Amino acid sequence: MTQQEGWPKIAVVGAGAVGGYFGGMLARAGAPVVMIGRPVFVEAVKKSGLFLDTLQLQESVRVEASTELSAVRGAEIVLFCVKTTDNATTRALAPLLLPGALVLSMQNGVDNVEQIRAGARVAVLPAVVCVGASVPEPGRVKHVGRGDLVIGPENEKTKRIAALFSRAQVPCRISENIEGELWTKLVWNCALNAVSALGRAKYGQIASSSDAWKVVETAVYEVLAVAGAAGIHPPGLEDPKVALAGALKIATQMAEALSSTGQDLNRGKRTEIDSLNGYISRRGAELGVRTPVNHALFALVKLAEGRS
Amino acid sequence: MTQQEGWPKIAVVGAGAVGGYFGGMLARAGAPVVMIGRPVFVEAVKKSGLFLDTLQLQESVRVEASTELSAVRGAEIVLFCVKTTDNATTRALAPLLLPGALVLSMQNGVDNVEQIRAGARVAVLPAVVCVGASVPEPGRVKHVGRGDLVIGPENEKTKRIAALFSRAQVPCRISENIEGELWTKLVWNCALNAVSALGRAKYGQIASSSDAWKVVETAVYEVLAVAGAAGIHPPGLEDPKVALAGALKIATQMAEALSSTGQDLNRGKRTEIDSLNGYISRRGAELGVRTPVNHALFALVKLAEGRS
């Protein structure tokens, strides 16, 4: 019996911090994993494997790596970890997949499944990803906190996925309110990402400025109002004060973090703001809920994109 | 009869683009002008005079220049052109002035006179400054548009000031609604300055983004709501649509401009945002008028200050 017995073939599309961590944990447990990423990543992994530097272990893991999307051929499960701005990738992905293959969207935002389904005929499930991780150098993943998933609702597919991750020591909870769970993460992202980017500030600096925190508050209230109008119930956030306490906890725990949106702006890259405050602005307009602050955060980040 | 006959001694405190242009025009007409500025400015002016590069003329003008505030001694009129963040300068200025000397605040914002009076016993009048000017190098002022003043209401003091400027070919109108006139300029500043700074965008880029322009619109509506609650009537802006058309005209005419707030952020300097969107946020809170977008623009610029 080989270590790989019983594992499906798994492909990671977009081998950054998220794809690297979760794909790496599966590979470490024995799953046959192929990671599709940039040339520098592929070169590093082919040479020395993928180095997982986690809170629990430091270990080089053997994975296949390719720059070609066609390397997904034969995969039963695809961890889809590209930025939301690259959702159209699934159009090229769809024809390469086995019948019955499952794409797991491990992205920010709440409308990736909708976007992916609109563009390609693939079976796709959303996952809420909670992990603090970065790529300090190609082929290396540094994990600094959490590392768990929420999927749902419970059915044969989600139970199988949860079992696979559990076997790889990755906590994977099944929720009957997966949409609400996605929105909970959206609340945090809408609260902090753009403020950090536009204010060129770390989370701790936002938390310690009462004026900046008032912006976070207004943004959170707007997101919860849109959620309410859309009939979504982000678990645990029924009371806006609890939501704000949660945002403050994140900002304090991650005091030294600059948001991914801020990092993208500084590198002159496109951000995911369309899927974050931009989504709230659009959805609020559809539902007749005013979202002036989310709209401003979205529009200002868009304006600043490519002008680092 | 010398050219200087009939002119009062005039001091410019803060010899940047505004002080340089208006002080330079007075000096050119024959007024004895002393300009207080930074060492590089004083050195350049002492060596070669102040060079006025205007739409009408290119000419080197003889002015006195000093780095010392005490050089204001003997001045009857002080053109006060420092940033609003330096309003406390008047505390040191007051004891140096002649009895009856007049300080003309040529600054952005609507509460400089109040701030200056709170800190020092000086006679101070506000002026609304409309000029496109910059300092391409120390001792040189480049003038690209307008160059006129509004003061008021009509009385002996304002008539004298208006006559002095008119003698120097500077249009100076007297208004019976000077507070409203100051607010008109505040509307433009609150509309464009912070959006340009946070979006790292020139005015033309703001005007050509419908999402960004919606932020400008909301900011303008909020400022006009605060003005209404405060009993202020910015002339010509009774109809918000007219106000927005005015903002669009400015943004289009000055398409290549990055706001002074943006320039300050890029140089790691303090901005005047406390006197612009920050003033609207504070005044709105006092008057019970919601100003979420002005508050966000203010708080984000404050957060970004010193983090260029």
Side-chain angles (χ1 to χ4, degrees):
Chain A
M1 178 172 142
T2 73
Q3 202 190 9
Q4 293 199 349
E5 200 163 319
W7 286 102
K9 182 176 169 188
I10 295 168
V12 173
V13 175
V18 167
Y21 178 75
F22 291 99
M25 290 296 283
L26 288 164
R28 184 179 167 269
V33 173
V34 60
M35 294 192 176
I36 290 114
R38 287 159 203 259
V40 284
F41 167 82
V42 172
E43 200 179 314
V45 167
K46 284 197 166 163
K47 195 172 160 201
S48 329
L50 174 74
F51 195 86
L52 288 182
D53 177 5
T54 81
L55 291 178
Q56 292 79 27
L57 52 96
Q58 283 78 38
E59 187 171 322
S60 180
V61 176
R62 190 171 172 75
V63 295
E64 278 185 65
S66 173
T67 58
E68 299 299 321
L69 196 58
S70 58
V72 302
R73 274 185 211 282
E76 284 181 59
I77 293 170
V78 177
L79 308 189
F80 194 62
C81 305
V82 300
K83 283 170 75 179
T84 58
T85 49
D86 292 327
N87 275 343
T89 304
T90 44
R91 287 187 204 169
L93 185 66
L96 302 168
L97 294 180
L98 293 173
L102 187 73
V103 175
L104 194 65
S105 158
M106 303 181 76
Q107 304 167 285
N108 285 322
V110 297
D111 65 342
N112 295 298
V113 167
E114 200 182 314
Q115 278 186 35
I116 290 166
R117 282 196 188 133
R121 289 201 178 202
V122 290
V124 53
L125 279 181
V128 182
V129 176
C130 297
V131 67
S134 63
V135 176
E137 59 187 272
R140 192 178 184 95
V141 173
K142 181 158 177 61
H143 163 251
V144 294
R146 298 283 295 265
D148 49 278
L149 302 172
V150 187
I151 57 176
E154 184 171 294
N155 58 36
E156 288 311 309
K157 281 181 183 170
T158 52
K159 280 198 283 190
R160 183 173 178 229
I161 298 278
L164 289 174
F165 279 112
S166 298
R167 198 176 156 193
Q169 321 300 329
V170 171
C172 180
R173 180 162 61 85
I174 293 181
S175 164
E176 293 306 309
N177 178 15
I178 185 66
E179 197 165 16
E181 306 270 359
L182 288 164
W183 274 72
T184 295
K185 188 170 180 189
L186 182 66
V187 170
W188 311 141
N189 281 333
C190 288
L192 294 168
N193 275 42
V195 173
S196 168
L198 295 166
R200 312 176 187 189
K202 295 175 179 176
Y203 288 173
Q205 293 164 328
I206 299 170
S208 62
S209 154
S210 61
D211 282 321
W213 197 255
K214 218 164 111 183
V215 181
V216 170
E217 280 183 12
T218 312
V220 167
Y221 289 148
E222 289 178 3
V223 177
L224 294 177
V226 172
I232 311 278
H233 300 282
L237 305 188
E238 290 75 13
D239 180 350
K241 280 185 190 143
V242 175
L244 281 169
L248 188 59
K249 192 176 160 193
I250 293 169
T252 310
Q253 282 174 344
M254 299 174 65
E256 288 304 307
L258 182 74
S259 69
S260 57
T261 309
Q263 292 175 44
D264 285 340
L265 278 195
N266 287 349
R267 288 174 193 148
K269 285 165 70 177
R270 266 192 83 187
T271 71
E272 294 190 311
I273 203 73
D274 283 299
S275 298
L276 308 178
N277 308 89
Y279 176 81
I280 292 299
S281 170
R282 291 194 305 279
R283 199 75 199 274
E286 282 165 21
L287 294 165
V289 177
R290 296 199 67 232
T291 59
V293 167
N294 277 276
H295 178 80
L297 294 172
F298 156 66
L300 292 168
V301 168
K302 282 309 264 190
L303 208 51
E305 272 183 358
R307 300 203 177 106
S308 59
Chain B
M1 178 171 145
T2 72
Q3 205 192 5
Q4 294 200 350
E5 198 164 320
W7 287 102
K9 182 176 169 187
I10 294 167
V12 173
V13 175
V18 168
Y21 178 74
F22 290 100
M25 290 297 282
L26 288 164
R28 185 181 165 267
V33 172
V34 59
M35 294 192 174
I36 290 110
R38 285 158 205 258
V40 283
F41 167 81
V42 172
E43 200 179 313
V45 167
K46 283 196 167 162
K47 195 172 160 200
S48 330
L50 175 75
F51 195 86
L52 289 181
D53 177 5
T54 82
L55 291 177
Q56 292 79 28
L57 53 96
Q58 284 78 38
E59 188 171 320
S60 180
V61 177
R62 190 171 173 75
V63 296
E64 280 184 64
S66 173
T67 57
E68 299 298 322
L69 195 58
S70 59
V72 303
R73 274 185 211 281
E76 282 180 62
I77 293 169
V78 176
L79 308 188
F80 194 63
C81 305
V82 299
K83 283 170 74 180
T84 57
T85 47
D86 292 327
N87 275 343
T89 306
T90 45
R91 288 188 201 168
L93 185 66
L96 302 167
L97 295 179
L98 292 173
L102 188 72
V103 173
L104 195 65
S105 158
M106 302 180 78
Q107 303 166 287
N108 285 323
V110 297
D111 64 343
N112 296 297
V113 166
E114 199 182 315
Q115 279 188 33
I116 291 167
R117 281 197 188 130
R121 290 202 175 200
V122 291
V124 52
L125 279 181
V128 182
V129 175
C130 298
V131 68
S134 62
V135 176
E137 58 186 273
R140 191 176 184 98
V141 173
K142 183 157 176 64
H143 163 251
V144 293
R146 298 284 294 267
D148 49 277
L149 302 173
V150 188
I151 56 174
E154 184 170 293
N155 58 34
E156 288 311 308
K157 281 181 182 169
T158 54
K159 282 200 281 190
R160 186 175 174 225
I161 299 278
L164 289 174
F165 279 112
S166 299
R167 199 175 155 192
Q169 320 300 329
V170 171
C172 181
R173 180 164 61 84
I174 294 180
S175 163
E176 294 306 309
N177 178 15
I178 185 66
E179 197 166 15
E181 305 271 0
L182 288 164
W183 274 73
T184 295
K185 189 171 180 190
L186 182 65
V187 169
W188 312 140
N189 282 333
C190 288
L192 295 167
N193 276 43
V195 174
S196 167
L198 295 166
R200 311 177 188 188
K202 295 176 179 177
Y203 287 172
Q205 294 164 325
I206 299 170
S208 62
S209 155
S210 62
D211 282 321
W213 196 255
K214 218 164 112 183
V215 181
V216 170
E217 280 183 13
T218 312
V220 167
Y221 289 148
E222 288 178 2
V223 178
L224 293 176
V226 173
I232 311 280
H233 300 283
L237 303 190
E238 290 76 12
D239 181 350
K241 281 185 189 143
V242 175
L244 281 169
L248 189 58
K249 193 175 160 195
I250 293 170
T252 310
Q253 283 175 344
M254 299 173 65
E256 288 303 309
L258 181 76
S259 69
S260 56
T261 309
Q263 292 176 43
D264 285 340
L265 278 195
N266 288 347
R267 290 177 192 144
K269 285 164 69 176
R270 265 191 83 185
T271 72
E272 294 190 311
I273 203 72
D274 283 299
S275 299
L276 307 179
N277 308 87
Y279 177 80
I280 293 299
S281 171
R282 290 195 304 279
R283 200 75 199 274
E286 282 165 22
L287 294 164
V289 177
R290 293 199 69 230
T291 59
V293 167
N294 276 277
H295 179 79
L297 295 171
F298 155 67
L300 292 168
V301 168
K302 282 308 268 190
L303 208 50
E305 273 184 358
R307 301 204 177 104
S308 58

